[in-house]
Each structure stands twice: as structure tokens, then as C-alpha cells.
Amino acid sequence: MMKYTATTDENEVLLQKQYMEKAAGYVAALEEEIGHKPLCCVTTFGCQMNARDSEKLSGILKEIGYTLTESEEDADFVIYNTCTVRDNANQRVYGRLGFLNSMKRKKPHLKVALCGCMMQEPSVIEKIRKSYRFVDLIFGTHNIFKFAQLLVTMFENNDMIIDIWQETDQIVEALPVSRKYPYKSGINIMFGCNNFCSYCIVPYVRGRERSRDPKEIIREIEQLTADGVVEIMLLGQNVNSYGKTLDQPITFAQLLQEIEKIEGLKRIRFMTSHPKDLSDELIDVMKHSGKICRHLHLPVQAGSDRILEAMNRRYTKAQYLALVDKIRTAMPDISLTTDLIVGFPGETLEDVEETIDVVKKVQYDNAFTFIYSKRTGTPAAAMENQVPEELVKEGFDKLLKVVQDTAKERAARLKGSVMEALVEEVNEQDKSLMTGRLSNNMLVHFPADPSMIGQLVMVSLDECRGFYYIGHIV
Ligand code: SAH
Ligand code: SF4
Ligand code: F3S
């Protein structure tokens, strides 16, 4: 098997910086033409990995002279960073492309680019080539570090530019990043996935697992904290297998211990943990940490052993429940969340009862419940026993009700307690309130001043409104 160790290529960074200068010239010329600073809108679909990639794209766009906007209508350049994990994400992109086409007719200088996971699928590229001829630039998940270069190619050509790579062993660090929040940030610790759960397309569109060098990760976090970041979210499809492919292997728990030492950093989160790789060492490090948040997202997907096996998850219901027991024994106050899928090929209502049983036993603080979506090219898509829609719906509704009831009960337990919250933003509905995030990832709204954004405060959770709290600073 080929060993995928990430290399940091300094020449590549220099090259991309040259392209940024060149692209800046084209953006300046566009400004002259349209009479205002060109606006760019990056719309993100999908998970936190994509959100982080969008920050990288935004960093380069700002560097070359674009002003970022949230409004696609106002923009002179629209980029969709797409997701393909379930078909509804794809459908949303196609729907919005129709709207962009009509915008482009009114505003001929409008540029449209597509990138992200969906673009790694050949059938998608075929469809866009055929039916969405107006798209200017298409690239994938493996070459986003080439963005500046691709932009130059786009400015110098009138045809649709398509550049999709099947794989990469490169990790290019130190390109500009424009962060969405001043006080918190995601940070990639690894890319890709080797697990091949039979329903999942991620390994095909994100490639093989590659870990970043721990020194690079530490350096990036040090820079972030120097820049005012107090909370970081370590990102990977399976953070528990971090470091295994490095020349000098290191475990995820060891990485956490190194990160814990960084001065100025207050909170550490991570996503996602695969249950099969969650070590005793990690539980121990979490238990003794003052910075790792009291929250673990531990996707179980299903409760029936037969379905878990067909999903290639490589644990049984009993093993998962034993793991949860171990975690709760070590950290009784930890909040657990999960992902659930209903309607995997061959799943019966009895199987769904097994999933419901897991939810009841674990008492999740929250669970994302998904309807199985058939992804072309995955082993599950070829299975013959696809479940009829009505049956899926029945199981889904039943499971969702249990999930919601459990989450409400769990939330109510904390009413009246005092907990630390990171002040994040002004409440959208009531501007006199600020929204804070607890260590367990739940939200609390309380009267405070916007100047407190980014600070940690102690908040009394006075009222529980289902999935969030109303409180006051103590
Ligand atoms: N790497 C993470 C999950 C990434 S995808 C993990 O293994 O936990 C996020 C979630 O999307 C998955 O946990 C799963 O619940 C869901 N998902 C993935 N593929 C799906 C599909 N084909 N249909 C429905 N849900 C899916
Ligand atoms: Fe998909 Fe499984 Fe990898 Fe998660 S671990 S990204 S569900 S293949
Ligand atoms: Fe979607 Fe890609 Fe993330 S498929 S869930 S954006 S890794």
C-alpha cells in the first residue's frame, strides 16, 4: 500500500504568491471597468472541512483585491463550494445554478466558479459541461491550493476551465486565510478518509487519509492565538486515527497534549471521532484536560449489528455502548452527540428499533438524523434491497421523535446551573441579548454587550427552552 505522507512544498507557496500578484492585476482592471471594487461571494455547502476550505479561498480572494460579500445578487464573482454527501445537497446546487445563469445574463462580467466534493464526481462534471455552459471555472478538493493560478487561467480564457485531480500527496501551508470569526477557528489536522463506510462517498471525493505534521499544526494554532483566537476545532473525518501515517507516528491524544500547552488558547474541540478508533488514552487525556471541551460527537449511524456490519462500521452495538459507558464513567458531565442514518439497504423497522434503543440507552444531547441517500459508486448503492420510501419515512419519524424527546430531557437537567460560556455573537432575534456557547456545545442567550464577543464568562442557565437556554452573567 502506498504511504500518504503530506509534504509541505515551499516552492509551491512562492509560485502561488506570484499568481496572486498576477490575479490582482486582473481584479484591478475589472475594478476600472465596472467602477467599483469587485465583490465576491463564497457560498459553502456541507461540513466544517468545506467551511475551512472556503476561508482559504476567501483569503486569496481578499489578497487579490476582492471585497467579500454574503449576497450573491451583489457579487461580481460567485463561488459554490459544494458537498455531495447526500443527494439533496447536490440538488440545491443545481437549483441555485439556474438562478446564477439568469443573473449572468443581466451582468455579463459575472464570473461563476464551482469547487468542492461534488466536483470530484465525473457524472457531475458531465452534467455541468452539458447543461450549465456558463460556468467559468471548476476545480476539486485536491487542488484548492492552486486557486490563485486557476483564477489567472480563468481571467485569461473565455472557455470553461476544468481542473480536477484524482489524488494529491501535497499539503500546502501558509497561504492566506480569511477567518469568519475572530475568536474561534477550525484547523485541519488531517485530510481524506480510509474507512470506506459502504454508504459514504467522502473517501472517493476527499481521497486517502493524510495527516499534517504536528509541528505545522502547533505553529498554525500559535499564530491563531496570537491573532486573538481562543477556541479551536481540530478537523478530520476520523481524528482518532490522526498521525498513524506520519514518518514519526504520533497519536491524536499526544497531539492534544501538545496543543493544550499553547498559551492563550482556552478551548479545544475536535470532529469527528470514529468509535472504532477511540482510545483509552484519548479518554484519559480528555478527562485530565482543562481545555478540551466536554463534548464528543460520536456517530453511531445505526443500532442493528447486521446493518452496522453491512455499513462496514467495524463495531457492534454492544461495543459502542461499552465505549459510551467507559467515556461516561471517566467524564460524567460529558455531552454526547451522534449521527444516525435510516433506510440503509435491507434495514427493517425492527432494525430501526435497535437504533432507537441506542438513543434511549446513550441519552444523546443531540443527534443528526439522516435519510439514507444512494451515492453512485459506493458499495451500498449496488445493494439490491433498497428500502421503499414509505418504510424509511415511518422509521425516520419514529426515531426523530425519540431523539428530540431525549435531547429535551437532557437539556432540562442543566437548568439552574452556572457554566462557562464563550460570548459568540449578537442574538439575531433580540439585539439586547448575546449568544454564548457552553463547553458542551449548547447555546445560551443572555443580556450583555457586543464588546464582550470572544470572552469567556460565567452564565447562570435560568430557563431551558428545548435546545437552548436563557440566562444571565454571574
Ligand atoms: N467522518 C464522519 C462523518 C462524515 S459525513 C464520521 O464517520 O463520523 C457526516 C454524516 O453524514 C455521517 O456521519 C453520516 O451519518 C451521514 N452520511 C454519510 N453518507 C450518507 C449517505 N449516503 N446517506 C445518508 N447519510 C449519510
Ligand atoms: Fe464517510 Fe465513514 Fe469516512 Fe466518515 S468514516 S467520512 S462516514 S467513510
Ligand atoms: Fe460534504 Fe465533502 Fe464534507 S461531501 S460532508 S463537504 S467532506
Side-chain angles (χ1 to χ4, degrees), residues 45-50 82-85 117 201-202 205-206 237:
F45 300 82
C47 66
Q48 310 242 15
M49 304 273 172
N50 259 18
T82 63
C83 168
T84 186
V85 77
C117 297
I201 200 160
V202 171
V205 295
R206 285 275 172 176
Q237 294 300 347

Side-chain angles (χ1 to χ4, degrees), residues 228-464:
V229 167
V230 292
E231 178 178 307
I232 51 153
M233 166 80 92
L234 307 173
L235 300 171
Q237 294 300 347
N238 178 13
V239 291
N240 296 329
S241 72
Y242 170 79
K244 288 183 183 158
T245 55
L246 288 170
D247 287 341
Q248 290 170 308
I250 157 173
T251 64
F252 179 54
Q254 287 165 337
L255 177 73
L256 282 171
Q257 283 174 300
E258 288 308 307
I259 295 175
E260 176 108 20
K261 293 180 196 154
I262 297 174
E263 229 173 282
L265 182 67
K266 304 267 172 56
R267 279 181 165 182
I268 305 168
R269 298 184 185 277
F270 52 84
M271 265 185 106
T272 299
S273 283
H274 195 304
K276 78 174 165 58
D277 295 312
L278 198 145
S279 66
D280 291 351
E281 187 197 11
L282 176 65
I283 298 175
D284 195 55
V285 167
M286 282 185 84
K287 179 181 167 148
H288 293 105
S289 164
K291 294 186 181 177
I292 303 173
C293 288
R294 283 290 182 261
H295 172 217
L296 202 50
H297 185 63
L298 199 60
V300 66
Q301 314 296 0
S304 142
D305 285 342
R306 196 172 55 84
I307 297 299
L308 283 170
E309 165 131 40
M311 285 179 162
N312 191 30
R313 288 294 288 181
R314 286 174 277 173
Y315 51 80
T316 61
K317 177 182 171 189
Q319 282 167 337
Y320 182 91
L321 290 174
L323 178 65
V324 166
D325 255 356
K326 207 156 46 168
I327 295 167
R328 280 251 165 82
T329 306
M331 296 168 282
D333 60 339
I334 199 159
S335 148
L336 292 175
T337 56
T338 200
D339 291 344
L340 305 165
I341 298 177
V342 181
F344 183 87
E347 192 177 52
T348 63
L349 283 176
E350 274 153 38
D351 291 319
V352 179
E353 284 303 329
E354 295 283 320
T355 309
I356 290 175
D357 187 48
V358 173
V359 174
K360 286 187 174 157
K361 289 204 165 103
V362 176
Q363 293 283 304
Y364 292 108
D365 294 79
N366 199 2
F368 298 99
T369 312
F370 303 113
I371 286 179
Y372 167 74
S373 173
K374 190 170 165 176
R375 309 316 288 135
T376 312
T378 61
M383 292 178 186
E384 273 160 19
N385 41 2
Q386 304 286 326
V387 184
E389 214 175 294
E390 322 77 66
L391 204 62
V392 178
K393 184 89 180 57
E394 192 180 330
F396 180 85
D397 289 346
K398 219 171 152 195
L399 175 62
L400 191 66
K401 176 141 193 340
V402 180
V403 163
Q404 289 173 342
D405 291 348
T406 318
K408 263 189 215 147
E409 263 172 51
R410 285 281 300 174
R413 292 182 343 146
L414 290 177
K415 184 176 170 250
S417 54
V418 173
M419 294 183 100
E420 192 177 57
L422 176 64
V423 187
E424 293 206 333
E425 56 201 2
V426 179
N427 183 303
E428 266 175 37
Q429 271 98 51
D430 181 345
K431 304 274 181 230
S432 72
L433 298 178
M434 299 298 292
T435 299
R437 192 175 296 272
L438 304 173
S439 173
N440 70 11
N441 212 32
M442 290 187 72
L443 297 180
V444 54
H445 308 283
F446 48 89
D449 192 79
S451 66
M452 297 183 79
I453 288 177
Q455 290 180 25
L456 286 160
V457 293
M458 296 307 286
V459 180
S460 161
L461 311 178
D462 303 327
E463 260 178 73
C464 177

Side-chain angles (χ1 to χ4, degrees), residues 4 117 119-123 125 139-143 162-169 202-208 210:
Y4 288 92
C117 297
M119 301 306 127
Q120 293 293 137
E121 290 181 275
S123 61
I125 301 297
F139 57 102
T141 56
H142 299 301
N143 55 342
I162 304 178
D163 191 13
I164 309 290
W165 298 6
Q166 285 321 306
E167 261 299 342
T168 184
D169 63 354
V202 171
Y204 305 88
V205 295
R206 285 275 172 176
R208 292 296 60 71
R210 304 169 306 278

Side-chain angles (χ1 to χ4, degrees), residues 41-58 72 78-84 89 92-93 96 100 112-120 137 139-142 144 206:
C41 177
V42 184
T43 303
T44 312
F45 300 82
C47 66
Q48 310 242 15
M49 304 273 172
N50 259 18
R52 185 63 179 161
D53 284 350
S54 289
E55 292 187 343
K56 294 177 182 174
L57 300 174
S58 302
E72 286 176 19
V78 176
I79 303 172
Y80 282 172
N81 189 6
T82 63
C83 168
T84 186
R92 270 169 56 214
V93 168
R96 288 168 76 152
L100 284 189
V112 175
L114 300 176
C115 64
C117 297
M118 214 176 134
M119 301 306 127
Q120 293 293 137
L137 170 64
F139 57 102
T141 56
H142 299 301
I144 78 157
R206 285 275 172 176

Side-chain angles (χ1 to χ4, degrees), residues 101-218:
N101 192 14
S102 65
M103 251 174 57
K104 200 159 173 164
R105 277 196 225 108
K106 282 184 245 154
K107 203 190 318 187
H109 74 264
L110 174 69
K111 295 272 184 208
V112 175
L114 300 176
C115 64
C117 297
M118 214 176 134
M119 301 306 127
Q120 293 293 137
E121 290 181 275
S123 61
V124 170
I125 301 297
E126 266 325 291
K127 184 164 171 169
I128 294 169
R129 245 194 234 270
K130 258 222 286 304
S131 314
Y132 302 89
R133 289 294 322 158
F134 63 92
V135 173
D136 299 285
L137 170 64
I138 301 175
F139 57 102
T141 56
H142 299 301
N143 55 342
I144 78 157
F145 67 87
K146 292 260 183 204
F147 185 45
Q149 185 172 355
L150 290 163
L151 286 174
V152 168
T153 315
M154 177 185 83
F155 283 123
E156 291 177 351
N157 289 276
N158 278 324
D159 291 344
M160 185 189 270
I161 309 292
I162 304 178
D163 191 13
I164 309 290
W165 298 6
Q166 285 321 306
E167 261 299 342
T168 184
D169 63 354
Q170 268 180 305
I171 292 178
V172 180
E173 325 261 359
L175 288 172
V177 178
S178 169
R179 277 185 286 115
K180 198 168 168 198
Y181 306 97
Y183 53 86
K184 67 171 180 181
S185 179
I187 168 163
N188 302 101
I189 62 165
M190 59 206 299
F191 301 90
C193 182
N194 284 353
N195 286 313
F196 291 95
C197 302
S198 63
Y199 51 82
C200 184
I201 200 160
V202 171
Y204 305 88
V205 295
R206 285 275 172 176
R208 292 296 60 71
E209 189 179 293
R210 304 169 306 278
S211 293
R212 278 181 75 192
D213 180 344
K215 287 196 276 315
E216 293 288 348
I217 296 171
I218 302 286

